[in-house]
Each structure stands twice: as C-alpha cells, then as structure tokens.
Amino acid sequence: MDEKCLLIRGGTVWTADRRNPRAEAVLVRGERILAVGSSAEVQNHECARGAQTLDLAGETVIPGMTDAHLHLLYYSKQRAGVSLFETKSLAEALQALRDAAAGTRPGDWIHGVRYNDAYWAENRAPTRHDLDAAGIDRPILLTRVCTHVQVANSAALAASGIPEDQWGDGILLETEVAPVLKAMEAWRSETGRTLGMIEEACRDFAGFGVTEIQTCSASGYGLADDLAPFQRLRLERRLPVRVVLYEDRMPQWNVMSGLGDDWIRYGGFKLFLDGSLGGRTAALGAPYADDPSTCGLLNHEEGALMATVKEAHKRGLQMLIHAIGDRALDQAIRAVEAAYAEGPCPCGLPHRINHVMICRPDQLEALKKLGVVLDVQPAFVPSEISMATARLGEERIPWSYPWKSFVDSGLVVTGSSDCPVEPPSPWRGVWGAVCRVGDDGKPEEGWQPHQKLTLDEALELWTVNGAVAVGEGGRRGRIAPGYLADLAILDRDIFKADPMDLREVKARLTLAGGYVTHGELPGWPAF
Ligand SMILES: [Zn+2]
C-alpha cells in the first residue's frame, strides 16, 4: 500500500483506551493509525494536509472487532445451503428445494439445511422417497437443524458410492452421512465453489465491523477448519478478515501457538470437556433441574486429560478449553493448574476457557489465580433464557452467564458468536450483554440484571480483549497511534441509540490493516 493518508472526522470515536476513551478524529497512514484525538489536534497533524477525508455525520468509529470463537468453515457451508428453517411443512420445504434447483446445472448438489420436522404439518421425518418424488433431478442432501440427522435422495446416495441395497429410507444418523458429505464437498471443490463460500462467509463478518475471526476446528464433530483456504484467499487478495485457527488435534509437527503473521496464524489446541446445556450433556455439579436422572457428561477420563494438557502446555500450545457446566469447569481448573505446575507455557500466552456458562463464586476465585482468558457468548442469553432456567433451576441461575462478575474479576473476557450456533453479527452479542433480554424483549429489566454490562464494557470484549487473548494487545484492538488500522465505522451513533437497537447495528465501512474490507471508499485501496 502506498503511504497515502486518510482523515476520518465528524464521528464519535471510541478508542478502547480507558485513559482516553473518546475522540473526534482518526488519521490513518498505510496499514497503521497515525493519530487520534480532537478534530483540531488531528487536522493539525503534518500528514493531515493532503489526506483523503471521510466526513461522518456523527456515526461511531470503533476498533475493528474480534469474534473470539466461531466455526467459519461450518458457517460457510450452512450459509451456502437452502435454509428450510422457516418452512411449515414438508411440501413447502420441497417447493423451496425445487426453486433452488431451478438455477442449477445437472450434477449440481442441492443442500437443504436447518429443517425441523417437529414444526412441519406432516409431523414426520422426510425420507429418500419424499425427495425422489419431488421432481428434482439433482443429488439432494437435507441436514436437520440439530445436524445429527440427515436425509439423502437416491441420486445423492448413488453419487456417494453407497450400494443401492443399503439406501433404505435415506435417513442418515450421525457419522453415517460421511460419504455423502465427502461427495458433496468433492463437487464443491471441483466446481471451484469452496473458496468463494469461505470468502462470502468472511465478508458477512466484515459487514458488521469484524476484522478478526478466531475460528475453531471441531473435527471430532465432522466440522474441521483448515488454514489453507484462508492462505489461498490471502494470496488472491480476497481475505477480508484476519484469521486465527484453533485445532482440536495436537499438531503433528513441533509448532507453537502464534505461528503466522498479522493475517493468518495458528492459535492453538482446542479441547472439549463437556457438551451442551440444551442437549443436557454439559457436566453439572448437581442433577439437571428438568431431568434429575442426569448431571451431564465429562468427555475425558481425568488421568488421560491431565497428561494431554501437560503435553500441550509444554509444547507451547495455547489451550482453548470448552467447559459449559460447573463440573466441567472444575475439571478445566484442575487441568490448567496441572499445566502451570510444569512452569510457564513457552508460547507466553494465557490459556483460555470457552463458554464458562456456569461458574460458582469459588471457581471464579480459582480462575483469577490462574489468569486465564474467559471466552463468552452473550448472544446466548437472548436465545437461552427459558432453556437455561429450565435446565438449571432457580438456585444455579445467580452464577450462570455471569459476565459482569467476570469483567469485575479483572480477567480478560472476550466476546464471540460461536457462529453458526448464533448468527455472525457481534451486535447480537453486544445487545445481549447490555440488555440481557430474550428476543421478545423480556424480562424488561433484564435477566439477572446485576450481570448486565455497560456498552463500554461490552465493546471491550469484542475489541481490545480479543486481541489481548492472542497476545496482540499492543498492536490491535484499540484506536491508538502505531496500532494497525483496523476500524469499524458504524451505521449510527451507538452511544445515543436505544440499547434495544444495538442488535441492528451494521458497519458502514470496515478497514483492516488500512484496507477497505466492507463498504465503499472511492480512491482508497480495498480487498
Ligand atoms: Zn463452538
């Protein structure tokens, strides 16, 4: 990039710097921020003369946002499918598939996603025969909203090399779908679709002001992420977000967390200690309130887990530990304690605990001693208030989703979407953290209102803290001189907006490393 300067003024600048949280103007040169301050200060900077100027009408400018936990490749596949989430009947779903097939060529696959037969008028699972009778001469795969059940038509089963005498009703449970997914992926890759799907998925994030995604492979669940597609996009100057990848396998070669550059880097090792609250597989310390026969499950035998954790730690891998229930969190605490008993991690990064949905006060004290990063998903509150209340019962609710307690603890707390579990917009999470209400706006005062965050606190989760979590707090996540020019110019003044409207916020313009990654800025370089 040549060293042209860009002066952004007329907006409200939120810097994520607690000593100087507000400013009026920003000056960018090349990939970095040159100056930030009052309009007069910045305009008097020697480089402001002759700079290209972007005049705002009061909109807020914030540091580019980091989504600290999501599954990008999985999201890219889901968004490329035909969403059947809103369909009210199998007949309506089949019509949606016919409409989608209309613009395709012979041999193209049709992937229907997020159907829920429990909501269908027919109230039964779709079968291969339903799909075969729909008059669509294409391989078809339907993936249920839970992702554990899929249905293929005869053309898809044939294209997957499955012998005809094994086709049955075409319903595929769990890993039975593997050969069909493989055949569909081969078609996507051969027809050059995969990279475009990933690029578009990344652009969705840029459209909300996100400049970095910390994406996570869940290969054990058939949801692997890879670095190579991002590298290819980068080479073609089509990568609109910075990418950090966490892998749920230990690397085969001796590499430490942090390998890479400002755009693509290896994050570390992801471990799943338990499942989900919705599926009652999160490991709780006491039985589920709505099913006293179970406390959920721990995925790992204690001794084997401790050995794995110590090895990862000694190898210099930052660990990202999935723990939802309080019993899983107890195990995570023991694991991180065991790791630090071996000495500091050679990568120099703190370990991370992901989700942390239930955290007793004594556990928070232990976490403070360990100095871990807590990765939370505030968008879960609007989605899960009633489910969580049913699963946990009144007694545990006061220490569930306790983000204000986390922020007040002084630990680094990041914000994320867990996309595609939640949509890609970080603003649904900011809104969830600030308002703590359901999608229906209830309860009006907020659910556990003492755990609400201020807007400034919520923004820190998605800006400075996401950068600090990967050791980049001195380079990204703030609007400060010398920092990389990652900026989100929003579509409104978020500090004057009704907090309930925060969920609607979009970026008008997003810059990553000085390049426009979303929106229009004529005369300025873009990816
Ligand atoms: Zn996840």
Side-chain angles (χ1 to χ4, degrees):
M1 183 185 277
D2 61 30
E3 296 294 275
K4 222 167 108 179
C5 288
L6 175 67
L7 172 64
I8 303 168
R9 64 185 179 191
T12 57
V13 180
W14 182 82
T15 63
D17 181 346
R18 284 189 184 179
R19 290 160 305 176
N20 273 314
R22 299 286 195 284
E24 295 170 343
V26 185
L27 187 63
V28 170
R29 181 169 68 185
E31 64 168 9
R32 288 182 189 274
I33 293 163
L34 203 55
V36 56
S38 69
S39 298
E41 278 166 355
V42 175
Q43 271 162 220
N44 286 334
H45 193 284
E46 55 177 339
C47 294
R49 265 170 286 139
Q52 182 168 340
T53 303
L54 174 62
D55 283 305
L56 302 178
E59 297 95 330
T60 309
V61 183
I62 64 171
M65 300 172 92
T66 291
D67 188 325
H69 174 70
L70 60 112
H71 307 275
L72 197 279
L73 262 67
Y74 182 28
Y75 170 61
S76 78
K77 287 171 189 172
Q78 195 172 88
R79 77 186 287 294
V82 183
S83 178
L84 304 175
F85 191 62
E86 308 283 338
T87 58
K88 302 280 186 291
S89 64
L90 172 58
E92 190 186 334
L94 294 175
Q95 187 54 48
L97 297 173
R98 270 192 291 271
D99 293 346
T104 63
R105 296 186 196 170
D108 283 354
W109 283 66
I110 308 295
H111 187 201
V113 297
R114 306 190 74 211
Y115 78 88
N116 190 344
D117 43 305
Y119 295 157
W120 281 351
E122 294 86 350
N123 196 20
R124 66 172 176 84
T127 67
R128 167 170 74 92
H129 309 292
D130 295 315
L131 298 177
D132 286 350
I136 305 169
D137 184 20
R138 303 279 186 273
I140 304 172
L141 179 69
L142 298 193
T143 301
R144 197 174 184 277
V145 66
C146 65
T147 73
H148 297 282
V149 183
Q150 324 216 24
V151 193
N153 70 349
S154 298
L157 294 164
S160 310
I162 298 173
E164 197 170 341
D165 59 354
Q166 294 172 24
W167 289 359
D169 55 11
I171 295 176
L172 305 161
L173 301 179
E174 305 290 346
T175 53
E176 289 170 358
V177 74
V180 183
L181 286 178
K182 199 173 163 200
M184 186 167 68
E185 286 315 314
W187 161 75
R188 279 178 173 154
S189 160
E190 280 158 21
T191 53
R193 282 172 165 80
T194 312
L195 272 196
M197 283 164 50
I198 294 170
E199 179 187 354
E200 284 169 25
C202 290
R203 291 209 184 274
D204 286 353
F205 285 89
F208 293 107
V210 172
T211 52
E212 173 165 308
I213 57 169
Q214 296 175 0
T215 187
C216 192
S217 214
S219 58
Y221 294 81
L223 303 171
D225 263 30
D226 291 309
L227 281 178
F230 299 113
Q231 292 178 283
R232 285 184 55 193
L233 286 174
R234 176 82 185 131
L235 284 173
E236 294 174 20
R237 301 172 62 84
R238 291 161 63 194
L239 183 65
V241 289
R242 305 180 192 279
V243 178
V244 180
L245 174 77
Y246 289 81
E247 258 270 293
D248 61 340
R249 290 172 289 212
M250 209 93 76
Q252 294 294 303
W253 51 312
N254 207 358
V255 57
M256 296 204 301
S257 290
L259 178 77
D261 61 17
D262 280 336
W263 282 90
I264 301 170
R265 63 168 62 203
Y266 169 61
F269 178 47
K270 169 81 184 264
L271 277 147
F272 291 88
L273 299 193
D274 65 347
S276 73
L277 209 51
R280 294 194 193 86
T281 47
L284 303 182
Y288 278 82
D290 58 356
D291 183 357
S293 73
T294 182
C295 297
L297 301 164
L298 285 174
N299 292 341
H300 297 271
E301 186 273 316
E302 182 90 359
L305 175 71
M306 295 304 149
T308 302
V309 159
K310 284 183 199 170
E311 184 193 344
H313 179 85
K314 281 197 263 189
R315 283 180 59 175
L317 305 179
Q318 184 186 38
M319 287 183 283
L320 178 58
I321 303 176
H322 166 120
I324 288 187
D326 52 328
R327 192 154 50 100
L329 186 56
D330 279 331
Q331 194 180 43
I333 290 167
R334 289 194 299 276
V336 177
E337 282 171 351
Y340 281 124
E342 306 285 314
C345 187
C347 71
L349 298 169
H351 295 303
R352 307 173 65 162
I353 303 186
N354 190 15
H355 303 309
V356 213
M357 260 134 77
I358 301 146
C359 178
R360 300 185 313 265
D362 64 294
Q363 292 178 313
L364 186 53
E365 289 308 310
L367 293 169
K368 276 160 72 173
K369 287 199 189 101
L370 293 171
V372 289
V373 172
L374 302 178
D375 298 301
V376 303
Q377 294 77 31
F380 286 169
V381 154
S383 300
E384 296 183 356
I385 290 174
S386 58
M387 182 274 287
T389 308
R391 297 283 186 277
L392 298 173
E394 289 304 321
E395 204 178 304
R396 279 176 287 208
I397 292 296
W399 23 280
S400 299
Y401 307 72
W403 303 313
K404 179 67 173 169
S405 302
F406 289 173
V407 166
D408 288 347
S409 76
L411 288 169
V412 173
V413 185
T414 72
S416 53
S417 61
D418 205 2
C419 182
V421 178
E422 291 287 336
S425 171
W427 296 99
R428 180 173 168 80
V430 171
W431 165 69
V434 170
C435 294
R436 287 185 74 98
V437 293
D439 283 308
D440 58 1
K442 290 179 179 138
E444 245 162 66
E445 69 285 4
W447 185 63
Q448 301 292 312
H450 60 285
Q451 294 290 355
K452 285 184 187 176
L453 301 187
T454 65
L455 181 52
D456 283 62
E457 287 168 338
L459 291 172
E460 285 183 350
L461 266 57
W462 273 272
T463 54
V464 55
N465 294 0
V468 168
V470 292
E472 291 288 290
R475 298 163 53 74
R476 289 188 281 108
R478 286 196 179 97
I479 302 180
Y483 273 57
L484 287 167
D486 291 6
L487 299 171
I489 294 143
L490 305 174
D491 63 355
R492 67 196 77 192
D493 182 342
I494 55 170
F495 295 99
K496 289 195 180 135
D498 181 334
M500 281 297 286
D501 292 339
L502 287 170
R503 57 180 152 172
E504 314 289 345
V505 173
K506 291 187 172 68
R508 172 183 153 181
L509 190 74
T510 308
L511 298 180
Y515 286 87
V516 173
T517 53
H518 165 77
E520 299 284 327
L521 186 61
W524 194 258
F527 276 165

